[in-house]
Amino acid sequence: MKKFSVILFFVVICVKLTAQESQNDPIKIIIDLVEEVAASNEDENSEIDLEQIYEQFANLLNNPIDLNAAVRADLEQLYILSDFQISSILEYIKRNGKMLSKYELAFVHGFNNKLAESLYPFVSVGSEYEYTAKSDTAKFNDMISRGKHQIIVRAKQLLEKQAGYKDDATTKFQGSPLSLYSRYSYQYSDRLKWNITTEKDAGEKYFDFISGYIQYDSKKFLKRLIVGDFQAQFGQGLVLWNGFGIGKSVVGTTVRKRARGVYGYSSTDENKYFRGTAANMQFNAFNISLFVSHKNRDATIADSANKVFKTLQTTGLHRTNSEINNKNSVSETAAGGNINYEYKNLRIGVSALWHGFGADYMRDLQPYNMFELNKSTNYNYSADAQWMWKRMILFAETAFDSNTKNASIIGATFSLEQNIQLSLLYRNYARDYQSLYAQSFSDGTKTENEEGFFITTTFSPLRNVNFSGYFDIFRFPWLKYRINAPSGGYSYAFRIDYSPTRNMKMYINVKQKNNKENYTPTNGHIAQTVDKSNFHVNYNLNYTLLGKLQMQNRVEYATFKRGSEPDEKGFMIFQDIAYNFTKFPLNISLRYAYFNTDSWNTRIYAYENDVLYAYSVPAYYMKGQRWYFNLKYSATKQISLWLRASQTIYRNLESISSGTTKIDGNKQTEIKAQIIIKL
């Protein structure tokens, strides 16, 4: 009887919901989701590859998650869902039976219409999406001939000439200022995909980066096989974590990392990937991932005769003779894997990684880096666990390196009520723990020399009001770069969201970080370690006019204080306008921003709309203005064209940047064009 009532209910409202969904461009939804992730990330040190988020949601657009067949790992692909919301979906289906329509999602405990509508393009129920089910029995000929092709070609260039392109340059770029990117991908449902990516950075002579892979997925014993370039994520990142990862974020309470295992690599970072073979297997309650990799890396050679290098280069740039000489100068071999065992609400796992270079690694040692990796081989291993009980998830991982130095992390997430969620996390990384591919939760950029406690919460005291915030306290037992003594600090942030109507939302966001930094007084000779404080507050307003005109306003104020120096201040204000034409296949977005800061110390970051699969988060600093416009023209259902232009004008600078990238003058202009072809 209960299901019958639900069916009648959906007959009444389904037409309305479908009409709402049809007004939402799925690509626009993806862009909005990525913007939310970028805007909510408050940690400048975290390395977010937004291109991977685009890729993940674009893949789900073609292969929606079947809510009735999904397990927790499937739902974790939806980054915007909290652990509580994932549990709510699973409990809802367990209690009420299979969903009759994906629109039931709006009535799951912990969901509202707004959140549910943003997920509709990426989820389904079995009867709505039969293509995936048919793919389970597809023949090989079908998989290589009946899939979807996509080609992306992108070009961009700075119009002003940088010093490295001038004929009289001491250090000269060998190539043109044109940057080129191309990508060809093929996908058959959720079974087979391959990808080839090429890139030429500005100043490089040729396409010097070529990446590709073939990935086969099945629901049998061999769940995944990858040949080519891939990434890996295990545990909580103490041993190995490539790719997407968020640090301190004021939105959401998911501090627990959601490991994806092994997966194909299609981004353009020329360092954070493996090249070889990877496989994922399922045997009853055991899930096993294994891989082996061999590739060349950029490095600064100290002694070529004795095969010694002192620095791994991570820029991926090969523009000058010295950069070209460093290209692929050291080989690296790596092997590792992860074994997980799952029983009811308990999951335990072990991870291991070994890697070695084809030359001796002997870095230039300084007091602050004397405990960092400084040898040609290293291995790490760890044990991790996760236990779910009602609305609580406990998780932990502890790891060791080849010198038996330890790093550990333990945390918990709680859903106290539908509108109250809480997460706690404690980490302790030894000063001499060494892991080249670790990327766990931290205040800095490395998983070493840190101890800290992090707490974050979100709750909704009223229907249209949401409060979220975090507090983190940390200490560094040993020296750090530009900090000549053991130190510590704290950071906090809170955000209040208010949505008075369906077409309007606003928030105010406050954050502050206090830590230490070296400071040499005027006419002084010895650096002192002094207190440093950064404070930011911004107000953001989004609203829609006439159904199609989207507006966004933002005002941000920043202060900086270091030791006895005078306070530094700055502010930035921008206006965004976006419009989707009804009778013409054109979308346009533009921004005008004005900024005034005392120095780089009071810089302000702001996410900008860009061409699809690209992103821009520039720093606004000094005094000036910045504008950009972004156009998308859908020539046909298969072909879309993108054009973007941006310019920054500084009022108090006569030149921009320094060295080979120096620009004489106060303007910096960039043009970007892209074409996407789907077949």
Side-chain angles (χ1 to χ4, degrees), residues 169-188:
T170 303
T171 303
K172 187 174 176 61
F173 294 151
Q174 300 301 301
S176 72
L178 182 65
S179 174
L180 296 171
Y181 166 91
S182 69
R183 177 180 169 190
Y184 162 67
S185 59
Y186 173 87
Q187 182 165 350
Y188 177 82

Side-chain angles (χ1 to χ4, degrees), residues 234 286-290 337-341 348-352 384:
F234 301 140
F286 289 92
N287 186 283
I288 304 170
S289 295
L290 301 171
N338 171 267
I339 300 176
N340 266 307
Y341 174 78
I348 57 176
V350 293
S351 303
D384 66 272

Side-chain angles (χ1 to χ4, degrees), residues 463-624:
R463 181 177 181 181
N464 297 323
V465 178
N466 185 74
F467 175 88
S468 55
Y470 70 75
F471 180 80
D472 186 40
I473 185 169
F474 48 85
R475 72 179 187 91
F476 309 113
W478 187 246
L479 285 57
K480 291 176 64 69
Y481 178 65
R482 296 182 65 187
I483 306 178
N484 292 342
S487 62
Y490 66 89
S491 63
Y492 68 85
F494 65 86
R495 170 169 156 167
I496 302 174
D497 290 81
Y498 175 52
S499 301
T501 68
R502 182 181 180 85
N503 295 323
M504 178 181 291
K505 61 180 180 179
M506 63 186 75
Y507 67 80
I508 184 169
N509 189 42
V510 178
K511 65 175 181 177
Q512 181 171 352
K513 181 176 180 179
N514 287 53
N515 58 348
K516 304 287 186 179
E517 188 175 283
N518 290 345
Y519 169 63
T520 303
T522 304
N523 300 324
H525 301 285
I526 300 176
Q528 305 173 4
T529 301
V530 298
D531 292 325
K532 183 183 72 171
S533 175
N534 290 84
F535 175 82
H536 287 254
V537 57
N538 69 67
Y539 171 76
N540 198 90
L541 172 64
N542 294 71
Y543 52 97
T544 303
L545 299 176
L546 304 175
K548 291 289 184 179
L549 185 62
Q550 294 183 322
M551 312 286 282
Q552 180 179 7
N553 307 89
R554 180 171 171 182
V555 179
E556 181 158 346
Y557 176 75
T559 64
F560 175 84
K561 175 69 174 178
R562 178 172 52 200
S564 59
E565 291 182 313
D567 291 1
E568 297 183 34
K569 302 175 182 178
F571 74 90
M572 181 270 293
I573 182 171
F574 71 64
Q575 172 69 62
D576 282 0
I577 301 175
Y579 187 76
N580 299 334
F581 290 86
T582 304
K583 298 182 179 181
F584 191 68
L586 180 68
N587 299 345
I588 181 172
S589 61
L590 54 91
R591 169 179 295 178
Y592 175 79
Y594 177 80
F595 53 93
N596 188 329
T597 76
D598 289 337
S599 73
W600 174 256
N601 293 326
T602 46
R603 62 193 179 275
I604 296 172
Y605 291 93
Y607 175 86
E608 297 181 347
N609 287 324
D610 209 316
V611 302
L612 189 61
Y613 295 112
Y615 61 94
S616 176
V617 190
Y620 295 75
Y621 69 99
M622 303 306 286
K623 297 175 176 65

Side-chain angles (χ1 to χ4, degrees), residues 314-374:
T314 59
T315 64
L317 298 175
H318 310 106
R319 306 162 299 177
T320 64
N321 287 330
S322 61
E323 290 174 347
I324 293 172
N325 291 335
N326 291 335
K327 179 178 171 61
N328 293 335
S329 55
V330 173
S331 64
E332 180 191 45
T333 302
N338 171 267
I339 300 176
N340 266 307
Y341 174 78
E342 190 164 350
Y343 177 73
K344 293 184 178 180
N345 294 327
L346 175 66
R347 186 172 68 194
I348 57 176
V350 293
S351 303
L353 170 67
W354 175 91
H355 68 88
F357 298 107
D360 291 331
Y361 190 9
M362 298 182 64
R363 67 167 72 239
D364 291 333
L365 292 179
Q366 303 291 330
Y368 77 91
N369 69 4
M370 63 182 298
F371 295 111
E372 295 182 11
L373 185 65
N374 191 37

Side-chain angles (χ1 to χ4, degrees), residues 585 633-640 678:
Y633 174 67
S634 301
T636 68
K637 290 183 178 180
Q638 292 76 33
I639 301 175
S640 59
K678 297 181 179 181

Side-chain angles (χ1 to χ4, degrees), residues 188-199:
Y188 177 82
S189 186
D190 57 350
R191 295 294 301 281
L192 180 68
K193 66 172 72 173
W194 61 70
N195 180 91
I196 299 175
T197 302
T198 66
E199 183 190 45

Side-chain angles (χ1 to χ4, degrees), residues 116 139 204 216 245 289 395 518 675:
K139 296 180 180 180
E204 295 178 341
Y216 171 77
S289 295
F395 60 93
N518 290 345
I675 181 172

